[in-house]
Amino acid sequence: MNGKAREIGMHDSYFVEPTGLSSSNVSTARDLALLVRAASEYPLIREYSTATGLTVDTGYSQVSFRNTNRLIDRPDWDIGLQKTGYISEAGNCLVMQTRIGHRPVVLVLLDAQARMARVGDAQRIREWLESGEAGERPPLRGSGKVSLRRDTGIEGGIEQHGSVARRAALG
């Protein structure tokens, strides 16, 4: 896993296990944006990550899963790939590949204070990008400093430094 991370340019990440549930896994918003871009090359990942719900036959029973990203159900969002998550060290997180206007965008929202805050921040980032005021501070509700990032190797972007992790909208 670490080898593949390096291969796709994730130089500030280290993983001790693949579930994402260990606080020993370390990454940055920029590296997670690179991971989203790489994962979006796989149609099955795109399909499963954007399904409203899925039922899996385990051989013993049927297990149902529901997508926790409420933006999936909204027709005004064009989401190609997404993943939500939570561990206490990183808070409520969302990575998402979408289109805003006619522009492809990868959102990486980390350390949201509440589960629905990441959805609200995604909506505010979209409104901010659509407003054409991309040089101004985006109206996020998280804590920390927001600055434009041009050195990410990814066209455009913002990065907000929160108390534990980072938030970014990278195009």
Side-chain angles (χ1 to χ4, degrees), residues 104-170:
V105 176
V106 173
L107 299 177
V108 177
L109 304 173
L110 306 175
D111 197 25
Q113 296 184 6
R115 195 165 90 167
M116 293 307 292
R118 58 192 174 195
V119 172
D121 279 349
Q123 184 66 39
R124 283 183 284 281
I125 289 170
R126 184 175 90 169
E127 291 167 1
W128 174 70
L129 289 172
E130 289 174 339
S131 75
E133 299 175 10
E136 301 295 321
R137 179 186 169 108
L140 302 180
R141 305 268 168 138
S143 62
K145 174 184 169 190
V146 176
S147 60
L148 282 175
R149 294 291 305 242
R150 303 272 182 222
D151 60 340
T152 60
I154 301 173
E155 182 183 332
I158 62 164
E159 188 164 330
Q160 174 166 340
H161 305 276
S163 59
V164 175
R166 298 179 181 154
R167 294 177 192 261
L170 304 171

Side-chain angles (χ1 to χ4, degrees), residues 1 8 10 15 30-40 81:
M1 189 169 173
I8 64 174
M10 296 175 67
F15 304 100
R30 180 189 178 278
D31 278 6
L32 291 174
L34 293 170
L35 179 60
V36 168
R37 286 214 170 147
S40 72
L81 180 141

